[in-house]
Amino acid sequence: MNLSELIDYMAEHATLDPKQALHALEAFWDAVIKALQKGEAVTLKNIGQFGSKVISARCYFDFKTRQNRMFPARTKLYFKASTNFTYCLKF
């Protein structure tokens, strides 16, 4: 399913026009992104949890230059599906 199919599905099942469905979807993702930028987790009951975690800096050996290098610390995003959601996807 791509974005246009999702918007059409939302519009059909929520009795919205496609423009309103697009705005609703954009508002949802904006809210999720703002919460993740604050460092908060977003939990959707029976669906899962969006979150972020900090990956610390680490050292690795570069075989081309024969030197030790550092991967910088970064923030990683994740989604953990709930048990009910995972169960629904098993055919």
Side-chain angles (χ1 to χ4, degrees):
M1 179 179 283
N2 60 27
L3 181 62
S4 63
E5 292 171 345
L6 177 62
I7 290 170
D8 291 341
Y9 185 85
M10 288 174 57
E12 180 182 328
H13 290 283
T15 61
L16 300 170
D17 64 51
K19 199 170 196 177
Q20 290 174 329
L22 176 63
H23 289 304
L25 186 61
E26 287 174 349
F28 168 75
W29 284 118
D30 286 342
V32 170
I33 289 169
K34 285 182 182 180
L36 291 174
Q37 286 174 341
K38 292 179 186 176
E40 301 172 356
V42 178
T43 303
L44 303 172
K45 187 176 179 182
N46 293 329
I47 294 176
Q49 180 179 22
F50 294 95
S52 62
K53 57 184 170 181
V54 176
I55 306 296
S56 61
R58 57 191 170 95
C59 185
Y60 73 97
F61 184 76
D62 188 357
F63 287 100
K64 289 183 179 179
T65 61
R66 301 276 185 205
Q67 294 177 354
N68 287 330
R69 300 220 176 206
M70 292 289 292
F71 279 124
R74 62 187 179 96
T75 303
K76 183 177 181 181
L77 301 176
Y78 69 86
F79 174 75
K80 184 175 191 280
S82 72
T83 313
N84 293 339
F85 191 63
T86 306
Y87 181 75
C88 289
L89 293 178
K90 292 183 181 178
F91 303 112

